[in-house]
Amino acid sequence: MKAKNSDFLRGLPAGATSCRIFFFCGPDEAGASAAAQRLAAALPDPGERIEITGAQLKADPALLGDEARSASLFGGARHIWVRASGDEAHDALQILIETGEAGAGEAAPVIVVATGATDKSRTAKLLEKRKDALVAMFYQPELKDAAQAVRAMADAAGLRLGGDLAERIARAAGLDVRLAQSEIDKLALYVGADPQAPRPATPEDHAAIGAATEEDGFAPLVNAVLGGETAKIAGEVRRMRELGLNPVGVALALERRAAQLAQIAAYLGPRGQFEQIDKGAEMRLGIFFREKRDIAQQYKRWTQAAARGTRETRLDRLIPRLTALHRNLIANSQAAELLLAQELAEIGRFAARR
């Protein structure tokens, strides 16, 4: 059984909870992890979670079957959560299936979140035609898809979002649905909403929790790097690691801001000034009050000439570099944090040049 991003936007695919093996893959690690969390919560009897790494299974493929068929410490149900890279879990899953068909007994549900894998990988091919398995591929979401996911989160929390608030939350989270869920939880708590007593939430409510929300999101890191604030970058990278922010999600947040700067540049033309943008245009360009000063400063910095005697701007060089970074992080997931930290430092130094 196969699924994709859109099948998880407002819940789970039909029949998903009847499966016993789940393989979530694709470049959107945040979306895959969030969907896996929802799936685990929706299992008829999830019980105790047993976490195993892909490296452990690669070294000992029989470990998965042993854990999946062992009794919980407290005698109840359990499910196995595997965080792997590529096809690290392939051999372990193959042994689990083969021993089950040979009469080894029923196994606990197994959920694998595999970064760097696709629905064309060996593991996906092993599972995709099985009725007891679900393979789901997650691509980086578009803004409209992330906003739809935010609305689904809000509905589940008893929040009624008006206007473009769902898009605003999705954009503030860098399209990372895990961070968006955190914002929805805070917003529901702030307005006193729950599924039994739905409450409306306004942009003003979101702004009121904005200080706490920004501390959890990508915005401080994006602003430090694109603002050329080199003294802040090391601390922001450390915060990224402490919060477990997805490196690809950080790269995507940088790409979104760079694309926004490019849209502003196209709107203003070569001789336009940022201060000329009126309120209506600000909304169309996604320039919100909290971010306006940072975006203005970054716009002026990145629309400067990349070098003397050239018409090419710094932004012209930044966008393809971020695209290459995104691809590099996906291709080298094991070293993603290190690669990202190095590139952030380089971009920050380039932005800081006078």
Side-chain angles (χ1 to χ4, degrees):
M1 175 177 181
K2 293 186 72 172
K4 52 188 177 181
N5 296 50
S6 57
D7 298 320
F8 290 85
L9 289 178
R10 286 199 167 272
L12 297 173
T17 54
S18 64
C19 296
R20 306 297 292 177
I21 302 174
F22 306 89
F23 185 71
F24 294 151
C25 59
D28 182 18
E29 190 270 340
S33 294
Q37 292 283 9
R38 290 200 300 276
L39 185 281
L43 291 173
D45 186 10
E48 180 186 6
R49 173 180 294 186
I50 305 299
E51 297 192 7
I52 307 175
T53 67
Q56 287 176 293
L57 294 184
K58 189 173 182 180
D60 182 9
L63 175 63
L64 181 61
D66 292 342
E67 291 290 353
R69 295 192 177 96
S70 296
S72 169
L73 180 63
F74 302 104
R78 56 165 44 185
H79 68 278
I80 313 300
W81 183 282
V82 179
R83 190 165 293 280
S85 177
D87 279 318
E88 286 179 332
H90 175 272
D91 293 350
L93 288 168
Q94 187 170 39
I95 291 173
L96 177 71
I97 292 168
E98 290 174 352
T99 52
E101 292 174 346
E106 185 177 357
V110 176
I111 302 171
V112 181
V113 178
T115 58
T118 71
D119 58 356
K120 306 299 182 185
S121 64
R122 291 172 61 228
T123 310
K125 295 296 184 184
L126 173 69
L127 302 173
E128 64 183 10
K129 294 183 180 180
R130 297 186 60 86
K131 294 182 179 180
D132 62 347
L134 172 64
V135 174
M137 178 78 169
F138 292 82
Y139 296 95
Q140 295 293 347
E142 298 293 332
L143 177 58
K144 62 181 179 62
D145 296 327
Q148 185 178 349
V150 169
R151 292 188 188 96
M153 297 172 194
D155 291 343
L159 274 176
R160 294 171 180 161
L161 304 183
D164 66 347
L165 186 51
E167 284 194 6
R168 183 179 301 190
I169 292 172
R171 187 182 290 111
L175 307 189
D176 186 319
V177 291
R178 291 175 301 186
L179 293 177
Q181 182 66 66
S182 175
E183 292 205 22
I184 289 295
D185 293 342
K186 292 173 185 175
L187 195 54
L189 182 63
Y190 179 76
V191 302
D194 64 58
Q196 285 70 45
R199 297 288 299 276
T202 66
E204 291 73 23
D205 294 325
H206 184 237
I209 65 165
T213 299
E214 280 194 353
E215 287 302 314
D216 289 338
F218 298 126
L221 179 53
V222 169
N223 290 333
V225 172
L226 297 186
E229 299 176 88
T230 54
K232 292 183 179 180
I233 293 175
E236 287 301 327
V237 169
R238 184 167 57 252
R239 186 181 66 87
M240 177 191 76
R241 289 171 176 160
E242 290 171 351
L243 292 176
L245 298 182
N246 177 18
V248 175
V250 174
L252 181 59
L254 287 162
E255 288 180 68
R256 294 288 180 184
R257 176 58 60 81
Q260 184 183 25
L261 296 177
Q263 288 177 329
I264 296 170
Y267 171 79
L268 289 175
R271 297 183 181 179
Q273 298 295 317
F274 190 91
E275 294 74 17
Q276 296 172 341
I277 303 175
D278 60 32
K279 293 294 183 182
E282 284 181 3
M283 291 300 294
R284 292 193 297 274
L285 293 167
I287 304 171
F288 300 111
F289 177 75
R290 283 186 309 169
E291 306 168 324
K292 184 174 179 179
R293 188 172 69 173
D294 291 318
I295 293 174
Q297 188 264 348
Q298 291 161 26
Y299 173 80
K300 291 174 182 177
R301 190 175 293 273
W302 286 96
T303 51
Q304 295 177 29
R308 288 184 180 180
T310 179
R311 298 179 64 181
E312 184 184 36
T313 67
R314 294 179 176 184
L315 191 59
D316 292 330
R317 293 188 179 180
L318 175 66
I319 292 175
R321 184 158 185 166
L322 289 175
T323 302
L325 171 64
H326 193 155
R327 289 197 300 265
N328 201 16
L329 293 177
I330 292 172
N332 300 277
S333 58
Q334 297 280 28
E337 284 192 356
L338 178 59
L339 291 172
L340 178 64
Q342 292 173 338
E343 190 67 7
L344 294 181
E346 288 293 323
I347 294 172
R349 283 195 288 268
F350 184 62
R353 292 179 186 173
R354 297 295 180 184

